[in-house]
Amino acid sequence: MSSFTLDGADVAFTEGQTIIEAARVAGRFIPSLCAHPEFPAHGSCRVCTVLVNGRPMSSCTTKASEGQVVESNTAALNRDRQALVQMLFVEGNHFCPGCEKSGACTLQSLGKELGVTSAGFAHESPTRPVDASHPDILLDFNRCILCELCVRASADVDHKDVFALSGRGLHKHLIVNAESGRLADTGMSLEDKAMTVCPVGVILKKRQGFSTPIGARRDDVQTPRQRLEAGRKP
Amino acid sequence: MRSASDILNAHRGDPTRLVQILRDAQHACGNWLPARVLSEIARGLGLPRARVEGVAGFYAFLNLKPVGRFRVLVSDNVTDRFAGSAETCGALCQRLGVKRGHVRSDGRVSVDFTSCTGLCDQGPALLVNGLAIPQVTGERLDQVVRLIEADTPVDEWPADLRRVQDGVRLQGPVLGATLEPGAALHRVLHASPDDVLATLKDSKLRGRGGAGFPVATKWETCRTAPGDSVVVCNADEGEPGTFKDRALLMRRADLVVEGMTIAARFTGATQGFIYLRGEYEFLLPHLNEVLSKRRAAKLLGTGICGDRGFDFDVDVHLGAGAYVCGEETALLESLEGKRGVPRHRPPFPVTHGYLGRPTTVNNVETYADAAVIFGLGLEAWKALGTEQSSGSKLLSIAGDVERPGIFEVPWGTTVREVLKLAGAGSVKAVQVGGPSGELISPKELDRRIAFEDLPCAGAIAVFNESRDLLEVVVNYAHFFAHESCGFCTPCRVGTHVATRSLDKLRQGRGSSAELAELGTLTRLLRDTSHCGLGNTAPNAWRHYLDKFPDDLARRLQAGFVPAFDVDAALVAARTARGETP
Amino acid sequence: MTAKVRVATTSLAGCFGCHMSFLDIDERILPLLERVTLDRSPLTDQKHAGPCAVGLVEGGVCNEDNLHVLREFRAQCQVLVAVGACAINGGLPAQRNHFEVGDLLRRVYTEEPGLTRRVVPDDPELPLLFDKVRPLHELVKVDYFIPGCPPPAEAFWAFLSDLLDGKEPRLPKGAIRYD
Ligand SMILES: Cc1cc2nc3c(=O)[nH]c(=O)nc-3n(C[C@H](O)[C@H](O)[C@H](O)COP(=O)(O)O)c2cc1C
Ligand code: SF4
Ligand code: SF4
Ligand code: SF4
């Protein structure tokens, strides 16, 4: 089997795997946000940037190849990652104490993992509406990190195309598939794959918030890194 | 008025033509795209409605909210600024009775800024409903106001007002070429692919759009890749201060199409596109005429030059206001009717381009150069240039010079020589290659325009002693923030954060904290952005920070300065209390 | 024995929850007090800060008075620490940031039912509200941040212990919380 090195450790891969996929299978954690094991790489958050033979590349879009020297856990890369996470925090409105997703949020756990203690940059404080039109589902756009996982899940798995992105630059935003602009007028339902993929607290099931006590939530029990490393082969 | 279904039929209901369809629909709907119309288009094309809205929302010239029936956009390149564009904008707003960024209450007109429209040698310039109006000051400004108040459709405005000069000041082998249409093509027609390849290699022709990739390698990879290949001419020319493709398309469009046809002959492509930036809509009738003439002369279409196996035709696609669509993979997305978001590479367009087919994407000038090489012969070409940069280069020079315009010079010409040609007086700095290029100081004027030293896709902007360089930097940084496609975090957020730091510096409210932040952003954007736009955006400020320390030092505060204006932030509460602030 | 280190604390637009959590270090307060003298703090009721080594500030900046106090802290404290969600990103009070503050004042003081005197309070003693609630780092230089709503007692303890030992303060992983 072919292999590359990740921070000095050998990582085996099969032909066609990306660096982050191979690392994941080997139980080695590379921080990421928009990558999801069930979907093709997106490559937008840039958090998974690593050095491949000394050159910065996103590990979710770069194919593994024999003998690559990959560095991930370096002080400089972790500083870059901190800055990227901070950018996502200031771009939206993230108030974790009042967020139903707190404790099971990939952005939050990544911030903690990287030792982010403040937003660093000045807050954008954008005004973004909440869509509560749907009887069962709430959309809180304030927390969207534009990873397109919901877009992809709804298109490729649910075949409903409920979501899309519009605007560009800092004005890029999520929209739903209805002339009214309201989720209630789309085909979205609780059974959709798109209900399950949001890494942050945008797509929420109504009337079930805060049901898990603090201390017992997903990332309280095990951080994403711990979960991944628990699967590491000796 | 054309209905949505007429428009869809005219485009054969082809979803890859979505950007063209939206442009036409907007034209038919009074300059914007009502929600109902988007739904109709989506139904007609069998696309999800949200996807259609997402595409419309991407392009600056497509409007999801009403704008004026006359939409006036003032070019906001820094050289336009220095030529008085802000005054022009202010005068238009005042005379027309409208606030910038708003629509007049009768719906007649709206006025706003837009990114550089490529008329820097004829600024301040406007786009009115997409059509270019150069030199809008004085009597010409009065005329614009009168025509809008008289409700005269833009197509009926006096030709003189709409006339754009090609701006050519100095010709070389390309601009001065007197080749008959088809002359270069005939030479290729009877040569073997190996001979054509050998000539291309020998010519050392490199792409003129910025990156300088060897043309021989690109064409050969495309030729040998499996699938029906495609030839695309990148006429997006969005880099502020670049307007040399405009001149080529005005004066030598035939040569450009000839170059594309040679590429098609070599790679086996049957389909070709010119992706023309929306700002150059005024060139569309001319380009279509050139294409028709070539079809009539059997230089395009089926059985070109009587060769029954040689079919190739070219379609012009218009952009809709997005600099990033000059990046070749974003361009292809746009050609396919999508949001102009750059693709992941590899695979590269040469193997997986337009609709997954092998695609040769080259700059306008590159195709013209190829035609000249085959038409005039290698020797004439190789006589010009340097070791790694052969032939000539078109430069578009604007700013503080007596003779702004287009100069075709041999590669290797020094900046000093270039400035002399254009008639520069005192020089504080020169921006070479546009905002994503390099700002050079007067100490560097002997550097050469060449891939070996100062690569340049065409733009040269000259700033004299009276100019505030920080105004230049701030303008460029805002350009990138406005044009970021928003796909990746560092560029989407970072370009915007940079504008805030730089605005603060410009206001004299900056300190070492801003410099540290800009340093972080420089590294982050360079190393982690998804495409060239984000990678090179820091060039807008880093050269200034590095090379003009004295200029910078004058503007820095010693201590910490709040992120916002503290007094202004109290005005609302004072007013609510009834105090006069 | 070395001289005691002066520490000041205050709450701006906060709820005193961070202070409460600080007190959750429980009996460890005793050894801490052997090394620390409290200057201005709700715990001492002293109204102005003198020169201090460390200033801990909870709450964001919502009005003029908050800014005044924050500046005093910044001027007096060698090390300024933003403590808790509100100090770091505005927190709960910043939920008003999506409304225009003038509208808010008019709505609350002149339009709500049951008001007897329909005017926006204009006593000069009352501090003016800022248009938005802002985190500390947008107004003064902040040296360290201890996040959480409130930060766990463990975070205060670890942070102050490091600082008092002359080490670069570091929050242990589990002590970084955003809620
Ligand atoms: C943000 C961005 C904008 C670009 N704009 C243009 C452009 O307007 N015209 C152009 O020819 N190339 C542009 N390019 C370069 C193209 O991606 C591509 O390299 C070029 O079209 C290839 O043609 P060439 O080899 O003939 O230069 C741009 C690149 C980036 C990253
Ligand atoms: S989405 Fe995540 S980071 Fe954002 S407020 Fe919710 S828990 Fe915090
Ligand atoms: S809603 Fe969630 S899944 Fe969808 S783009 Fe936003 S962050 Fe990603
Ligand atoms: S760097 Fe990223 S956000 Fe910027 S234009 Fe390229 S893909 Fe879009």
Side-chain angles (χ1 to χ4, degrees), chain B residues 131-146:
Chain B
L131 289 183
I133 316 283
Q135 273 168 340
V136 184
T137 53
E139 162 55 21
R140 290 170 64 85
L141 193 149
D142 299 341
Q143 229 180 326
V144 168
V145 171
R146 275 199 307 273

Side-chain angles (χ1 to χ4, degrees), chain C residues 23-43:
Chain C
L23 294 179
D24 282 342
I25 64 172
D26 296 335
E27 72 281 359
R28 286 174 291 185
I29 192 97
L30 296 174
L32 188 69
L33 282 175
E34 280 172 20
R35 306 174 71 183
V36 158
T37 306
L38 277 182
D39 193 274
R40 172 182 171 156
S41 166
L43 309 173

